[in-house]
Amino acid sequence: MAIARFARQAKRPHGFCLKMTAVAVLGLCFIFVWSMFSSTSSSVVSQRESFDDIAEPVSTNTKPSNSGTQSKKKQVENHESSKEDKRVKVESDLDRKDDKRVNGSVALVVEEEHKYGKKDEKEVAKEKREKGKKLPQGVAKKNDEPKQSEAEDSQKEKEELEEEEVLDGEDGIDIDGEDNGDKEGDSDLAESVDQESEEKLEDGGGESRNRGRKRKIKGPLFDPKAHYIWKLCNTRSKHNYMPCIDIESGTTKLQSYRHTERSCPRASLMCLVPLPHDGYGTPVRWPESKLKILHKNVAHPKLAAFVKKHSWVVESGEYLTFPQNQSEFKGGVLHYVESIEEMVPDIEWGKNIRLVLDIGCTDSSFSASLLDKEVLALSLGLKDDLVDVAQVALERGFPAVVSPLGTRRLPFPSTAFDAIHCGGCGLSWYSNGGKLLLEMNRILRPGGYFILSTKHESIEEEEAMSRLTASICWNILAHKTEEVSEVGVKIYQKPESNGIYELRRKKNPPLCKENENPDAAWHVPIKTCLHTIPSAIEQHGTEWPEEWPKRLDTYPDWLNDKERVIEDTKHWKAIVDKSYLTGVGIDWSNIRNVMDMKAIYGGFAAALSQQKVWVMNVVPVHAPDTLPFIYERGLVGVYHDWCESFGTYPRSYDLLHADHLFSRLKNRCNKPVSIVVEMDRILRPGGWTIIRDKVEILDPLEGILRSLHWEIRMTYAQDKEGIICAQKHLWRP
């Protein structure tokens, strides 16, 4: 009625004024109501983003004026919580489906009881922007990995955003066996050095290779209530399965079952690789293994055909033998090695030349002959069928690693090797803009040597190679065709300074940009550019190292905190001498191939330098980049992410050493148990593992090892730190 009366009055004189007044009043009312709702909404969003009081109950003395806001806030939280519960359930179901999908095998694990809080979209976007801004040069972007399903991508992204902060205050213990008790200087320097190095790198303005704001997640690494039922992997590669190298889907024939690039399965490996169908025998001990190995331990369909075509490997009963006077190089490998020294007298094997990368691994007799000269030659098994010879090299006790060489960098730092050898490896170095040779240029030390030996090289190939080496300023020191071996040998040298690059008429390939990190190697594409020669005193590779063995204990000028490195070296020498060699029950006469799964400065490998072993130093990609210094010491190693499978054959190593590895991987891997499965894959039956970590991790880990039927030979704990020494046996499900 009032509205009708107001309408009639509006039709009278001066009605227009009344209309305008009414419109103004209604407008003010609308603005007031809108501002109230806007204020309430922004208040809810602000409190949701802060995460400061999500779990706090509403106080009983809350003012009535705020009751509406608190009520709405609670409704929003309940809605968000409901959405998150559904999301967690879906993700858990996806994980279970992934478990069932792994090669038709499954390890049954009790579902984790703890759930982690999630971040809203705005906070996730904000942290992603901050993380993107802070990404240092050395972080390897994995944008060239195979695409995954949307659910798996979302899960991986959220887990990366929820990675824990660097653990602090992890002081280990020095354990000398059950009877030895405490010794002088028992603090675990390796762990404290690792921690201090990470903190320093994180504060150093972009030097850490995987830095960013991380959120620590509470909860155990391994579920103590989990129960494991193991099954064998059902793969076409069978007992030689390498998860990130072998193709295990589709209808691809066995003859071409290798990936052209490293590509890991979506689901973590949760099955056990079977033993060879003819059984597995105890490997021949070193040094006898240089001359013969058990054929059944390395059996493969392609290997039998390979043996028939090459005279330097002979099948003799149950063994494969390697006659000393036979080699891929006619006249013998010793003649071949000595002729290289004669061609370039500056090459002194075992003195200024300590580390050699042997591309292709066709004839491991080259590694054997150099080993007698105190040269550590790391064989690189490629992705083709000749990679099976890498397994032969490992069985013989020679260093080898398997990695495709295509479009991605090899897992080595820059300026790592004193020399690179390619003996009939059959690679087209000049194809695709010379990418492969540019990668060799990256990892070769300034002034280092590239030794290429080929047969029947065509004129076109020779001209293409000459143009490419000239474009990157490699100087050819010698070119000779051996009359005895009928092999053409060329020896190139990488320049020692940048001045020669400026003298090129054509700047192709161009110099790399200053922000291109030459040490970034994990899943990083090969750059079609030349990295400049290190010249600053704080850069590694500026000077040639001391002759071996002085370089093992010589610390270059570019190394910071030399005192810490010296203490780390003393620390591991004490542990190895007082504990590992005598106190844990290991028969070191059966140990040849050793892996340090989380190397820091190479102190563990240096402590074993007088033993008849070689050590693969693995620097995890999330840890401080200490691998250049490891190479500077004359030791070998690789970058690796332990959330993936390692590039080697099953049953490759005699001993695995893991010092606080698991506590550092707490929030990186979807299934931390898969790391133990990978250890079971690469460790030989009868092999050993030494694991040092927190007791809260070692307790459930011991149960996992027992479920694999490993024999726990020793456990020891002091305060919150402990050690497990276990031995793998022949058991398979």
Side-chain angles (χ1 to χ4, degrees):
M1 292 296 292
I3 295 175
R5 191 179 303 113
F6 180 78
R8 286 195 299 272
Q9 290 177 359
K11 295 179 181 180
R12 297 177 184 176
H14 309 291
F16 179 76
C17 294
L18 290 172
K19 290 179 181 179
M20 294 301 296
T21 303
V23 170
V25 171
L26 290 173
L28 290 172
C29 292
F30 175 77
I31 292 173
F32 176 76
V33 173
W34 178 82
S35 64
M36 290 292 293
F37 278 98
S38 176
S39 175
T40 302
S41 176
S42 65
S43 175
V44 172
V45 173
S46 175
Q47 294 182 34
R48 180 71 179 93
E49 286 182 350
S50 69
F51 276 85
D52 290 335
D53 58 352
I54 280 182
E56 294 179 5
V58 178
S59 176
T60 55
N61 58 356
T62 303
K63 294 182 180 180
S65 60
N66 295 334
S67 60
T69 301
Q70 294 290 344
S71 176
K72 290 180 181 179
K73 174 188 169 186
K74 189 172 182 179
Q75 292 175 5
V76 170
E77 291 171 2
N78 289 339
H79 178 66
E80 292 291 332
S81 177
S82 176
K83 288 169 63 179
E84 289 300 325
D85 288 343
K86 292 179 181 178
R87 193 182 311 163
V88 170
K89 186 177 186 302
V90 170
E91 291 168 358
S92 179
D93 292 341
L94 283 173
D95 288 340
R96 284 195 293 270
K97 290 179 181 179
D98 283 344
D99 286 341
K100 296 178 182 179
R101 224 172 25 229
V102 180
N103 305 320
S105 305
V106 61
L108 300 180
V109 184
V110 175
E111 185 177 359
E112 293 183 1
E113 296 177 355
H114 52 277
K115 298 293 188 290
Y116 304 134
K118 308 293 179 180
K119 304 179 181 180
D120 63 14
E121 295 178 358
K122 290 187 178 181
E123 185 173 358
V124 170
K126 181 179 178 181
E127 289 198 14
K128 286 176 69 178
R129 287 195 298 270
E130 292 176 354
K131 191 172 183 179
K133 291 178 181 178
K134 295 182 179 181
L135 190 67
Q137 297 176 12
V139 175
K141 297 180 180 179
K142 301 184 181 180
N143 53 2
D144 52 7
E145 290 183 345
K147 295 183 178 179
Q148 300 179 341
S149 65
E150 292 182 4
E152 290 169 335
D153 284 341
S154 176
Q155 172 72 2
K156 185 174 181 180
E157 181 177 283
K158 281 182 285 188
E159 288 177 348
E160 288 177 351
L161 289 171
E162 292 176 342
E163 287 179 354
E164 68 175 346
E165 297 177 353
V166 177
L167 301 176
D168 51 43
E170 293 179 353
D171 291 331
I173 57 173
D174 212 303
I175 297 167
D176 301 327
E178 294 178 324
D179 301 330
N180 295 343
D182 297 334
K183 300 277 185 178
E184 183 179 354
D186 274 352
S187 61
D188 195 336
L189 281 170
E191 179 60 17
S192 61
V193 165
D194 186 18
Q195 170 59 28
E196 292 176 12
S197 298
E198 288 194 22
E199 290 175 350
K200 180 171 182 179
L201 287 172
E202 289 185 350
D203 295 336
E207 294 181 12
S208 178
R209 288 172 299 134
N210 195 2
R211 191 166 59 94
R213 296 183 63 184
K214 299 179 181 180
R215 186 165 147 232
K216 189 172 181 179
I217 299 176
K218 296 180 180 179
L221 178 69
F222 301 113
D223 188 352
K225 298 182 180 179
H227 177 64
Y228 301 93
I229 300 176
W230 302 106
K231 295 184 179 180
L232 291 179
C233 298
N234 182 21
T235 61
R236 294 206 320 266
S237 304
K238 299 180 181 177
H239 58 279
N240 286 330
Y241 181 42
M242 290 183 286
C244 297
I245 306 294
D246 297 342
I247 297 174
E248 290 297 333
S249 60
T251 57
T252 308
K253 295 182 180 180
L254 183 64
Q255 283 74 8
S256 58
Y257 70 104
R258 303 293 187 206
H259 282 295
T260 56
E261 294 291 352
R262 178 181 172 85
S263 179
C264 300
R266 292 179 178 177
S268 302
L269 186 68
M270 293 296 290
C271 57
L272 306 183
V273 175
L275 296 176
H277 58 85
D278 289 334
Y280 183 82
T282 302
V284 179
R285 290 188 177 190
W286 180 269
E288 190 180 359
S289 61
K290 289 197 294 184
L291 301 178
K292 68 176 184 179
I293 59 174
L294 281 174
H295 190 181
K296 64 181 180 180
N297 286 2
V298 295
H300 187 274
K302 286 290 180 180
L303 184 60
F306 184 85
V307 170
K308 293 179 180 179
K309 295 180 181 179
H310 296 82
S311 60
W312 55 269
V313 53
V314 179
E315 187 173 3
S316 177
E318 61 178 347
Y319 296 101
L320 290 179
T321 61
F322 307 91
Q324 287 183 305
N325 60 341
Q326 294 293 325
S327 171
E328 185 76 9
F329 310 98
K330 290 184 178 180
V333 68
L334 185 60
H335 170 77
Y336 174 73
V337 169
E338 290 177 348
S339 67
I340 293 174
E341 279 188 309
E342 292 175 0
M343 293 167 66
V344 181
D346 287 341
I347 295 179
E348 296 180 275
W349 300 118
K351 294 182 180 179
N352 66 330
I353 304 298
R354 161 65 179 173
L355 298 177
V356 175
L357 181 66
D358 187 19
I359 303 291
C361 193
T362 53
D363 184 0
S364 50
S365 64
F366 180 73
S367 299
S369 62
L370 289 180
L371 195 62
D372 294 335
K373 296 178 177 291
E374 293 293 325
V375 177
L376 196 58
L378 176 62
S379 297
L380 179 68
L382 301 178
K383 59 93 184 174
D384 56 21
D385 289 328
L386 288 182
V387 75
D388 300 303
V389 186
Q391 187 180 25
V392 172
L394 286 163
E395 187 72 13
R396 293 180 68 181
F398 302 137
V401 65
V402 179
S403 178
L405 179 56
T407 62
R408 295 179 189 168
R409 289 178 172 178
L410 295 172
F412 309 119
S414 64
T415 68
F417 294 96
D418 307 328
I420 297 175
H421 175 257
C422 173
C425 54
L427 294 176
S428 294
W429 296 107
Y430 45 81
S431 300
N432 299 318
K435 273 189 172 183
L436 300 186
L437 202 66
L438 286 171
E439 175 62 1
M440 298 300 104
N441 185 78
R442 181 186 73 87
I443 63 177
L444 184 61
R445 182 177 295 280
Y449 305 94
F450 182 78
I451 305 167
L452 178 64
S453 63
T454 57
K455 289 184 180 180
H456 313 300
E457 190 177 31
S458 67
I459 297 177
E460 292 79 7
E461 291 174 341
E462 186 174 352
E463 290 179 349
M465 188 65 178
S466 297
R467 287 193 299 269
L468 177 58
T469 54
S471 69
I472 63 176
C473 302
W474 280 14
N475 182 28
I476 183 166
L477 301 179
H479 182 192
K480 181 181 179 181
T481 300
E482 280 286 317
E483 296 180 359
V484 178
S485 63
E486 299 179 359
V487 171
V489 181
K490 295 180 182 178
I491 302 177
Y492 301 89
Q493 187 176 31
K494 179 180 175 178
E496 298 181 85
S497 63
N498 294 305
I500 194 170
Y501 291 149
E502 302 300 327
L503 301 177
R504 295 181 301 165
R505 292 182 179 179
K506 296 181 180 180
K507 302 298 189 290
N508 185 31
L511 295 179
C512 297
K513 297 178 181 179
E514 292 183 1
N515 61 353
E516 289 283 357
N517 184 2
D519 293 330
W522 188 249
H523 289 295
V524 174
I526 297 174
K527 310 294 183 182
T528 54
C529 60
L530 281 171
H531 287 285
T532 56
I533 305 296
S535 57
I537 193 172
E538 65 272 10
Q539 292 178 293
H540 65 86
T542 53
E543 295 182 355
W544 199 276
E546 293 284 343
E547 292 186 357
W548 180 263
K550 289 182 180 179
R551 68 188 287 181
L552 184 64
D553 297 314
T554 302
Y555 309 115
D557 293 333
W558 53 264
L559 179 67
N560 296 323
D561 301 321
K562 297 179 184 178
E563 296 168 354
R564 187 180 299 167
V565 179
I566 294 172
E567 290 301 318
D568 177 72
T569 302
K570 293 180 179 177
H571 162 74
W572 283 112
K573 181 171 177 53
I575 290 180
V576 169
D577 291 345
K578 299 176 184 178
S579 176
Y580 289 176
L581 295 179
T582 58
V584 295
I586 295 176
D587 181 6
W588 285 88
S589 64
N590 289 326
I591 305 297
R592 172 61 186 171
N593 302 348
V594 179
M595 177 186 287
D596 190 358
M597 299 177 69
K598 191 179 76 70
I600 303 177
Y601 296 119
F604 172 69
L608 289 172
S609 60
Q610 299 302 316
Q611 304 300 315
K612 296 179 180 180
V613 302
W614 68 272
V615 180
M616 175 63 75
N617 294 279
V618 180
V619 173
V621 294
H622 65 280
D625 186 9
T626 55
L627 194 54
F629 174 67
I630 290 174
Y631 273 89
E632 193 77 11
R633 303 187 77 171
L635 307 171
V636 295
V638 294
Y639 297 117
H640 184 61
D641 185 349
W642 282 111
C643 299
E644 299 182 7
S645 177
F646 192 80
T648 191
Y649 273 88
R651 306 170 300 279
S652 295
Y653 287 88
D654 303 307
L655 187 144
L656 302 178
H657 182 255
D659 178 42
H660 288 80
L661 171 71
F662 291 96
S663 57
R664 297 289 174 168
L665 297 175
K666 184 170 183 179
N667 298 303
R668 288 188 54 82
C669 307
N670 292 338
K671 294 186 178 68
V673 179
S674 65
I675 305 170
V676 187
V677 176
E678 177 65 4
M679 293 172 68
D680 181 84
R681 187 186 74 87
I682 66 179
L683 189 63
R684 289 174 174 173
W688 296 75
T689 184
I690 301 175
I691 304 172
R692 305 164 65 92
D693 221 306
K694 297 181 177 181
V695 171
E696 63 187 41
I697 290 176
L698 295 182
D699 284 345
L701 181 58
E702 182 179 343
I704 298 172
L705 296 178
R706 291 188 186 279
S707 73
L708 293 167
H709 291 244
W710 287 25
E711 183 180 355
I712 308 299
R713 301 296 293 268
M714 191 201 78
T715 60
Y716 186 88
Q718 179 178 315
D719 297 329
K720 296 182 179 180
E721 304 289 328
I723 184 173
I724 290 178
C725 183
Q727 187 177 23
K728 175 185 172 181
H729 290 292
L730 285 168
W731 177 83
R732 296 283 95 173

